Amino acid sequence: MSAFVIAPPPQVCAPVAGGGLFPVRRIFCVGQNYADHAREMGGDPQRNPPFFFTKPADSLVTEGADAPYPSLTQNLHHEIELVVALGAGGANVALADAKALIFGYAAGIDLTRRDLQAEAKKAGRPWDMAKGFDASAPLGLIRPAGACGDVGKGRISLSVNGAGRQQGDLAEMIWSVAEIIAILSTYVALAPGDLIFTGTPAGVGAVSAGDLLNGEIEGVGEVTTRIA
Ligand code: MN
């Protein structure tokens, strides 16, 4: 007999290229991990220690579904990012062991209420409502690591209604995927099912209801969503 006092939430899942579902546990995100984006946000493009924030697992939008334009913002921004899907976990993971935790990679979009983020930064308040709102994390198919190219380099880009907005290269990341895993694992014990958004290149900008967003990462895949 079940002891749940209300119905438990459904397990959030992300489809895997070639079939199957990846059960999602948590979503971690890295801030300002490309020097040109750090500059456009008024940050420091130096190799300072990375900083992290989170989104709820159920903020994911998969299978090309629409992302509704969120409430309480006049400045919704796109950020195309390489997403790492962990198949194994650990705390204080050694740099040399970090890549062994990876199940696969996907292209994702870190949708951001930029106006609320700017207010939060100014007031020294948390970013949660700027970053972790409903449908804030569109994600493409997760491709198993063995089927991906070398994610240490490769074109990463995003277009809005077919017009190029963001373009960069994974080689421009300030902190590598392995370094991000190792450092993040000193803050929390990572676990199978965790996703990590690894930061965005320059060119972030506003989108409107009706816009079609298409992101692409060489050797990894695509992510598509329409702002509804
Ligand atoms: Mn981001």
Side-chain angles (χ1 to χ4, degrees):
M1 199 171 87
S2 169
F4 291 124
V5 296
I6 59 169
Q11 171 66 54
V12 176
C13 291
V16 174
L21 292 173
F22 180 88
V24 177
R25 184 163 189 254
R26 297 173 294 187
I27 304 176
F28 297 100
C29 306
V30 184
Q32 299 183 5
N33 196 31
Y34 290 73
D36 52 356
H37 174 63
R39 272 185 219 103
E40 76 178 352
M41 295 307 294
D44 185 347
Q46 301 308 308
R47 208 164 184 269
N48 292 320
F51 64 93
F52 301 93
F53 57 93
T54 64
K55 293 176 185 262
D58 61 7
S59 65
L60 273 192
V61 177
T62 58
E63 302 188 80
D66 290 351
Y69 196 96
S71 62
L72 299 173
T73 182
Q74 319 300 323
N75 197 15
L76 178 66
H77 274 207
H78 55 75
E79 299 188 353
I80 178 70
E81 312 205 357
L82 173 69
V83 180
V84 180
L86 298 186
N92 302 310
V93 176
L95 187 59
D97 300 332
K99 284 216 158 176
L101 271 52
I102 299 171
F103 170 79
Y105 301 93
I109 302 173
D110 168 15
L111 289 173
T112 302
R113 283 166 164 153
R114 193 70 74 200
D115 43 3
L116 296 198
Q117 186 194 31
E119 285 172 23
K121 280 184 180 177
K122 202 172 158 192
R125 290 182 179 149
W127 289 10
D128 301 51
M129 294 301 114
K131 289 289 196 178
F133 51 91
D134 295 340
S136 59
L139 186 77
L141 288 175
I142 296 175
R143 190 170 302 281
C148 291
D150 171 12
V151 300
K153 56 181 167 51
R155 187 174 186 271
I156 174 169
S157 61
L158 181 132
S159 66
V160 178
N161 302 323
R165 286 278 192 94
Q166 289 188 266
Q167 189 177 315
D169 195 286
L170 298 175
E172 297 160 10
M173 288 172 63
I174 295 170
W175 295 92
S176 71
V177 166
E179 287 170 329
I180 289 166
I181 291 171
I183 296 167
L184 180 56
S185 78
T186 66
Y187 287 91
V188 292
L190 293 169
D194 288 342
L195 298 178
I196 307 172
F197 281 61
T198 60
T200 196
V204 300
V207 291
S208 304
D211 284 348
L212 182 67
L213 279 57
N214 184 257
E216 195 171 350
I217 300 177
E218 187 180 349
V220 172
E222 292 187 56
V223 56
T224 300
T225 192
R226 186 178 293 280
I227 305 299

